[in-house]
Amino acid sequence: MSDILDVIKTRRSVRKYKNDMVPAEIIDKIIEAGTYAATGMDRQSPIILAVTDKELRDKLSKMNSRIMGKSEDFDPFYGAPVVLVVLADKSMPTYIYDGTLVMGNLMLEAHALGVDSCWIHRAKEEFESEEGREILKSLGIEGDYEGIGHCILGYVDGEEPQCHPRKDNWVYRA
């Protein structure tokens, strides 16, 4: 079993990926970690949309890029072949926190398994759009879900990012 503090201290956001696909059994383990995130009243409000289909992955990338105001040629997923989209049921008062904890679990488990990751924003705007709602509907996903984030997965193309020093005034004690 890995030391969780070591995993936390060494995980970094990667912004340049190789084309190599993450094996399905590894993706499944990462997703499983997400399903064990703490949620308000254990209601498990989030869902995870696992995108390995290149066509859908590229469609989400273009949507995300448009939201950023960038050219559709810009890839906000940095070439990562896997996108895990976390959405959460807005009927739960804790849905944003629940989805955020899922994102954290996904990134930590990915790192523990030797897979690189990064949290990419704008899932909220993507899935509030008509195009985003149509994607969910086409997958049989019904309900009032808000996009929390994209956890992109893959293998770093280049050097692993280095840790920045921790700020001096991080903790106050009373």
Side-chain angles (χ1 to χ4, degrees), residues 85-103:
V85 184
V86 175
L87 301 108
D89 182 346
K90 291 173 24 177
S91 69
M92 274 299 297
T94 58
Y95 77 97
I96 292 174
Y97 312 110
D98 297 347
T100 299
L101 287 168
V102 170
M103 289 290 295

Side-chain angles (χ1 to χ4, degrees), residues 17-28 30 52 80-82 110 113-116 152-155:
Y17 292 84
K18 296 177 185 175
N19 291 328
D20 303 349
M21 179 54 75
V22 179
E25 60 274 8
I26 299 295
I27 295 170
D28 289 345
I30 294 166
T52 56
V82 179
L113 295 172
V115 176
D116 296 296
I152 59 173
L153 301 173
Y155 301 102

Side-chain angles (χ1 to χ4, degrees), residues 90-140:
K90 291 173 24 177
S91 69
M92 274 299 297
T94 58
Y95 77 97
I96 292 174
Y97 312 110
D98 297 347
T100 299
L101 287 168
V102 170
M103 289 290 295
N105 277 21
L106 295 173
M107 292 184 294
L108 290 173
E109 181 66 6
H111 181 59
L113 295 172
V115 176
D116 296 296
S117 67
C118 188
W119 180 326
I120 305 298
H121 291 281
R122 295 165 296 282
K124 179 183 189 302
E125 295 85 352
E126 275 176 31
F127 290 96
E128 284 178 344
S129 74
E130 189 62 38
E131 190 175 11
R133 287 191 297 273
E134 282 300 315
I135 290 170
L136 295 179
K137 185 177 179 183
S138 75
L139 296 168

Side-chain angles (χ1 to χ4, degrees), residues 72-87:
E72 286 191 6
D73 293 334
F74 175 74
D75 180 14
F77 300 149
Y78 304 105
V82 179
V83 179
L84 303 180
V85 184
V86 175
L87 301 108

